[in-house]
Amino acid sequence: MNPKQQHKRTLVEISKRLLSELKLGCVDDILKATNKANYRRLFSSNGVIILTQDFDRILNELEAAASKILGSKAANRKTIQDAAMASCRQVSAGCSNKSTAEELVETILSEAGREYTHVCECYVARFTNSFQETVAVGPVRLLPLENVLGETKLGDNKRITLEIENPKGGLFIRGAERPFIATRSAWAVEVSATKANVPVEARWQIEVAISLMRLSSDHWKGHYPLLGEIEPLPTVRTEHRDLTVTYDNESLAVGGSEVPHWYEIDSAVAADLRNPKVQENARHIFKPKKQSLAERIGNGLGWMTRGRQALDGAQRVLSFATSLESLLSSSDKGAPVVQTICRHAAVILTNDVEDRFGIFYDLKKLYELRSAIVHTGSRSVLKHEAESIQGYAEAIYKTVLQRCDLSMTQDRFSENLRKASHGASWLH
């Protein structure tokens, strides 16, 4: 029996035990028999189902076993519970435990193969008036609002309409007073996950794509988020008014307003993002081979976006340090982590030996900050320190994205850097 069949068999056995715990009948009679008044109750067309403490214990066991098999994207506690409750109602209607248990397991495991398209508002990028074309980075598309119905299956739904003449226009479901997408650009993301997890997984893919876009073009204009500036959340409106008052004995200051930053898409940026090397990088990053360089880069790009979103300097340092560790840490458990990351970063950024020493010690000091945050809870981070680690992270990732074949294994990438740190040429 192969591992997949063994996992399935285990889930079926747990499900059969779960369904055998059901008690169906008059609530008062069951409660008297069990002498427990705190059992949960499930109503069905055939009576009241009492969910005992043993039922809850076995349900937790089923959730844990199924989650381990499905992984974080496809596993969702509520989805598994809802499937289990539906199976309880089937048993109460006379279906056999065995067949219902098998059907329950099939329902749970089917979540691993679900594919969804998630369409949502975009608050971090916009198109210029002279350029209104969709750009795509892997499974993440950024669309002008006018393109959404024509380029997604939302256009097949006759209940959805586009109204753009009205300043409060957008995409409406017929009869609704407010649009469900009101921004002038929107994200459309292909997501493989259980339905309940789609918004979270889609946002992560958007955040990976934003950093990839940021580092793949040198033509950003407009109110572009520069080093150290706060980047808006990609799918949630950012309040740009500061409705506060700050005062002391001598002065009083009221809040004001600040226009959030954005990425402006014009023909030059679009040309950069459509470059074959960028598109190849995106294919590797969003569908990475296990233990590949692309897998590590994808993780790091997402953390870089979250670093730019953070208001607090300590949070920014942690996020950018995490992105560096994702790319530069070695699978060699015996290798010193900080020294390895700093040496490898220096190799990527310069061939000059003296400059490498300077970068090594600069990054080492920044990692002391990271260690103080993690191990003591310190928040003492200066603005230029947060900007410095962001600058290093972005320069390192940009160099790797431009020069490296992302399909190589992470071990090979690390080994090439290790050799180069001892005087050999960096093979990328």
Side-chain angles (χ1 to χ4, degrees):
M1 185 180 294
N2 62 44
K4 185 176 181 180
Q5 291 173 324
Q6 182 60 50
H7 291 323
K8 186 174 180 179
R9 181 176 177 178
T10 299
L11 291 181
V12 169
E13 292 303 316
I14 298 172
S15 298
K16 286 163 64 176
R17 286 195 286 117
L18 178 76
L19 297 175
S20 70
E21 283 295 325
L22 298 182
K23 299 184 183 297
L24 178 66
C26 172
V27 177
D28 291 336
D29 290 343
I30 293 173
L31 292 181
K32 287 176 183 177
T34 57
N35 197 29
K36 295 285 186 180
N38 60 345
Y39 287 164
R40 293 191 296 128
R41 307 167 191 180
L42 178 67
F43 293 90
S44 75
S45 58
N46 293 282
V48 179
I49 303 170
I50 301 301
L51 306 180
T52 66
Q53 290 178 343
D54 283 339
F55 177 93
D56 286 340
R57 176 181 55 78
I58 299 170
L59 179 58
N60 289 336
E61 183 183 347
L62 177 64
E63 290 170 3
S67 297
K68 187 174 181 180
I69 295 168
L70 292 170
S72 61
K73 291 184 180 180
N76 180 271
R77 182 184 181 93
K78 186 177 185 303
T79 301
I80 295 171
Q81 286 187 345
D82 288 348
M85 295 305 108
S87 295
C88 291
R89 291 187 172 94
Q90 285 182 267
V91 170
S92 74
C95 297
S96 74
N97 279 19
K98 184 176 184 297
S99 62
T100 306
E102 291 171 348
E103 185 179 331
L104 170 58
V105 171
E106 290 294 340
T107 299
I108 291 172
L109 294 181
S110 69
E111 293 299 320
R114 295 290 179 90
E115 298 282 344
Y116 294 93
T117 300
H118 186 71
V119 180
C120 59
E121 294 181 314
C122 173
Y123 290 97
V124 73
R126 61 180 69 174
F127 294 88
T128 61
N129 291 333
S130 60
F131 185 83
Q132 294 285 311
E133 297 178 18
T134 298
V135 293
V137 179
V140 179
R141 286 177 289 165
L142 179 62
L143 306 91
L145 180 64
E146 292 86 343
N147 294 11
V148 173
L149 293 184
E151 297 184 22
T152 72
K153 289 187 177 181
L154 290 180
D156 298 338
N157 191 320
K158 303 306 180 185
R159 296 178 59 221
I160 296 177
T161 59
L162 173 65
E163 300 177 17
I164 56 175
E165 285 75 17
N166 187 334
K168 295 184 179 180
L171 286 174
F172 288 81
I173 294 178
R174 187 177 297 143
E177 295 182 1
R178 295 182 179 181
F180 65 92
I181 292 183
T183 53
R184 288 299 179 262
S185 56
W187 300 105
V189 190
E190 307 304 319
V191 183
S192 178
T194 188
K195 188 176 181 180
N197 292 349
V198 164
V200 172
E201 295 302 325
R203 175 168 164 179
W204 175 255
Q205 290 191 175
I206 289 168
E207 289 172 333
V208 172
I210 290 170
S211 279
L212 181 57
M213 292 164 63
R214 177 184 175 90
L215 300 179
S216 297
S217 178
D218 292 321
H219 293 97
W220 297 110
K221 299 175 183 176
H223 201 39
Y224 169 74
L226 299 172
L227 199 71
E229 293 181 330
I230 308 301
E231 182 174 295
L233 300 178
T235 61
V236 180
R237 183 187 299 277
T238 300
E239 177 59 65
H240 61 274
R241 295 178 299 165
D242 181 5
L243 305 176
T244 62
V245 176
T246 302
Y247 67 90
D248 59 14
N249 291 332
E250 299 177 355
S251 64
L252 181 148
V254 297
S257 64
E258 182 176 320
V259 177
H261 297 280
W262 71 83
Y263 293 95
E264 189 166 281
I265 310 295
D266 59 15
S267 58
V269 170
D272 289 338
L273 300 183
R274 291 167 178 168
N275 181 285
K277 172 61 173 170
V278 175
Q279 290 296 309
E280 179 188 10
N281 285 344
R283 285 192 294 274
H284 287 308
I285 288 168
F286 286 100
K287 286 191 175 294
K289 296 177 182 177
K290 286 187 176 181
Q291 300 179 342
S292 66
L293 174 58
E295 187 177 43
R296 294 288 197 96
I297 284 183
N299 292 337
L301 289 172
W303 282 109
M304 289 171 71
T305 297
R306 294 196 173 178
R308 294 192 303 275
Q309 295 167 357
L311 303 178
D312 185 86
Q315 290 179 318
R316 294 177 78 89
V317 167
L318 282 179
S319 295
F320 289 115
T322 300
S323 73
L324 287 173
E325 288 183 36
S326 176
L327 178 63
L328 300 177
S329 60
S330 170
S331 60
D332 179 2
K333 302 302 181 184
V337 175
V338 175
Q339 288 85 345
T340 298
I341 290 170
C342 297
R343 281 203 321 271
H344 290 181
V347 167
I348 290 171
L349 292 176
T350 182
N351 291 321
D352 185 276
V353 176
E354 292 299 322
D355 288 345
R356 284 184 180 179
F357 276 115
I359 292 169
F360 175 88
Y361 287 111
D362 199 9
L363 272 173
K364 196 166 180 293
K365 288 180 181 178
L366 291 171
Y367 254 82
E368 289 173 1
L369 270 180
R370 178 260 182 203
S371 297
I373 296 167
V374 171
H375 300 297
T376 71
S378 170
R379 288 184 56 252
S380 180
V381 175
L382 299 176
K383 189 176 190 316
H384 79 269
E385 293 170 329
E387 291 177 356
S388 181
I389 194 168
Q390 177 184 352
Y392 274 122
E394 292 189 349
I396 290 165
Y397 270 77
K398 189 165 188 172
T399 301
V400 172
L401 287 167
Q402 290 174 345
R403 296 184 183 179
C404 294
D405 176 2
L406 305 193
S407 66
M408 77 169 73
T409 65
Q410 178 67 20
D411 284 346
R412 179 185 165 196
F413 175 71
S414 295
E415 179 62 14
N416 289 344
L417 288 171
R418 185 191 67 79
K419 290 178 179 178
S421 70
H422 292 289
S425 297
W426 178 34
L427 301 176
H428 45 72

